[in-house]
Each structure stands twice: as structure tokens, then as C-alpha cells.
Amino acid sequence: MTGSSGPADATATTGTAHDTATTGRAHDTATAGTAHDTATTGTARATGPAAVSGAAPRAVDAAIGVLVVDDDFMVARVHRAFVERVEPFRVVGVAGTGEQALAAVGELRPDLVLLDLYLPDVFGLDVIPRLRAAGHDCDIMVISAAREADAVRGAVRHGVVDYLLKPFEFEDLRVRLERYAVQRGRLLGTVVRSQADVDRVLAGAAPAAPAPALPKGMSVETAELVERTLREADGTLSASECASLTGVSRVSARRYLEYFHTVGSADVSLRYGVAGRPERRYRFRGAVTGLALPPAARP
């Protein structure tokens, strides 16, 4: 979100919002004098859960519930619109102060909190230990203009899942939300049988290293086809079965399946028959679309 004015801005008369969030006045559909979505500094405001915008308890479903915390109600509105564009995220509430955030977490039980640091009553990082002391285990993603190294180090020490600087574009937030969804799915579905399983979970929590390109001779389109087929299979697949379902040759199917096994996205088991070599069967390890392919390999 930029602070420039003029015809290029999406002003109150257009009814649209910019695809950039900023620390200043977010361009949205509201005009001066309209009701705030959250209480802001210098105006009378309610306290506690009643001050939370959109404070309807969320139904139990596959959605990832998000609480947006920002003292600028227009910025919070843009953040909310951004989040709602990313599946499977749903905004369950908006808070404008640290105290409102604490009350909202207690009432709405979000899975993820998008937390600004410059709040009118407390510093954002001070909200996190109070949440933990109250027994709340929601994840925290910092969204702030705070560029000080101490703020970043403090956020890491408090265990935040990500740190996004303002101003940012929608795509910057989308990538982080999708990465969080993948890691959350991995954590929820993990079964620890060995140190390797623990290492995979911990590696997923660390910042991702640049992903290698697909091996020479392999195409993104075919890799996505094989990945989707393996992911949607009811149980395990052999290379021959995968070839039949995808229309590629058995040799090609085997090569892609082995690649997914090598990068840790597929498990392999052996099925022994009456005679001959055992059949290698593959099962997709992840539970989120696109987990197998490295991001750098996607179009």
C-alpha cells in the first residue's frame, strides 16, 4: 500500500482495495466519518470481546482461523481481505489493541494471529507471553513496520512462525500463509517413527532454502501430473499403475516416483510376490497440494 494520491489510488468512491498493505492509511472503501471496524486511538471504544470486529465463533471445519491485530482499522481491513483470498484461511475476528487481542483469542480460539507490533497500549511482542500464560497455543505471525534487529530477534525468541515487513503486496502474504498451511498440516499429521521423522518436521519449521530445479529431462507438467495421481491414490501405487493412470510410460512414471521418494515426498514399500523381484509401491507422504514439488520448479 502506498501513500500516494491521485487518479491511480483506489479511493472511497471506487469501492476497491489496493493489493499492498502499509503502515499508513490503507486505501479501502471507508471514508472519513464511517464507523471503525475496531477501536482506534483517540476515540471512545469498548473493551474486551465486544470490541472485536467479526467476533462470531467459528464452526469446527477444515478452515484455518485467523485473528488480525492492527491498530489502524483500514490496514486491518485490507489485511482481512488479503487473508480471505487464500484458502483455507478464514478471518474470525479483528482487534485493534493488545488487550482486545488477548480477549479475542480467549473467545474466538484462532489458529493463527497476524500481530502488529506497534499497538497503542502494549508492544506487540509483550502480548505473546501473556497468551502463553493464559494457555493459548495459537501460532503468531508478525506483520509490522518494525525493522529493528532487536524486534526481529525478540520475535524469533517468542517462537513466531513468520515475520513480514510493511509495506507488502498480497503475494508476499499469500506465500507465507500457504507455507504456514503446509507446515501446520505436516505437524498435525506427523507420526514419529524415527529421528528422520523428527528432522523432517524441524526442517520444515526452518526458513526454506532455495529449492533445486527438477533433474535434467524431467518436466514440471509431468511431475505435477504424477504428484497429483500419487496424492489422490487410495493407498499405494506401483510404477505400472501410475503409468496407466497418467498415460506416461512405466519407465517415466518410475523415474518421477523415485524422484519424489528421494526428496522425501513419497514413501516406498515392497510387495513380495510368488516369484521374481519385489514390487516397489509408493505412497504420497504429504497432505497439502503442491507439497512434493519444490517451489522453484513451479511455473
Side-chain angles (χ1 to χ4, degrees), residues 36-40 43 51-53 68 70-73 76 94-96 100:
H36 285 198
D37 277 3
T38 62
T40 55
T43 61
V52 179
S53 166
V68 175
D70 198 294
D71 67 320
D72 188 321
F73 82 101
V94 177
Q100 288 178 15

Side-chain angles (χ1 to χ4, degrees), residues 215-235:
K216 186 176 180 180
M218 296 178 68
S219 72
V220 172
E221 293 77 16
T222 304
E224 289 181 337
L225 175 62
V226 173
E227 177 201 26
R228 183 169 61 252
T229 302
L230 183 62
R231 186 176 62 247
E232 295 174 353
D234 184 14

Side-chain angles (χ1 to χ4, degrees), residues 75 99 175 200 244 250 267 277 295:
V75 171
E99 293 298 330
V175 168
R200 271 189 293 270
S244 176
R250 187 190 66 81
D267 291 320
R277 298 170 58 185

Side-chain angles (χ1 to χ4, degrees), residues 13-217:
T13 60
T14 65
T16 60
H18 279 207
D19 264 13
T20 310
T22 182
T23 57
R25 302 297 296 176
H27 300 288
D28 203 277
T29 57
T31 59
T34 57
H36 285 198
D37 277 3
T38 62
T40 55
T41 306
T43 61
R45 57 173 175 257
T47 59
V52 179
S53 166
R58 130 181 99 89
V60 178
D61 54 24
I64 298 176
V66 178
L67 174 69
V68 175
V69 182
D70 198 294
D71 67 320
D72 188 321
F73 82 101
M74 293 295 284
V75 171
R77 181 178 291 181
V78 173
H79 290 183
R80 178 175 193 153
F82 282 3
V83 172
E84 293 284 3
R85 290 167 60 181
V86 184
E87 291 292 339
F89 294 89
R90 295 290 181 271
V91 175
V92 298
V94 177
T97 69
E99 293 298 330
Q100 288 178 15
L102 291 164
V105 169
E107 179 180 349
L108 304 175
R109 303 288 177 169
D111 302 299
L112 177 66
V113 176
L114 303 188
L115 181 65
D116 188 18
L117 297 187
Y118 295 138
L119 299 175
D121 52 347
V122 297
F123 188 58
L125 290 183
D126 294 333
V127 172
I128 301 176
R130 293 178 62 182
L131 288 173
R132 302 302 180 232
H136 302 305
D137 60 356
C138 52
D139 293 316
I140 310 292
M141 182 183 298
V142 170
I143 295 185
S144 177
R147 289 169 166 77
E148 298 83 2
D150 285 346
V152 178
R153 282 193 294 266
V156 171
R157 283 194 295 269
H158 281 87
V160 303
V161 298
D162 216 323
Y163 194 113
L164 179 58
L165 286 173
K166 298 177 182 178
F168 60 87
E169 304 289 337
F170 165 69
E171 284 300 309
D172 298 323
L173 180 59
R174 181 189 65 79
V175 168
R176 284 162 174 79
L177 289 176
E178 291 180 347
R179 182 169 61 201
Y180 166 77
V182 169
Q183 175 63 8
R184 183 172 184 269
R186 182 184 293 120
L187 289 171
L188 292 176
T190 242
V191 176
V192 177
R193 304 192 255 319
S194 67
Q195 182 63 47
D197 294 318
V198 176
D199 292 342
R200 271 189 293 270
V201 172
L202 293 179
L214 287 169
K216 186 176 180 180

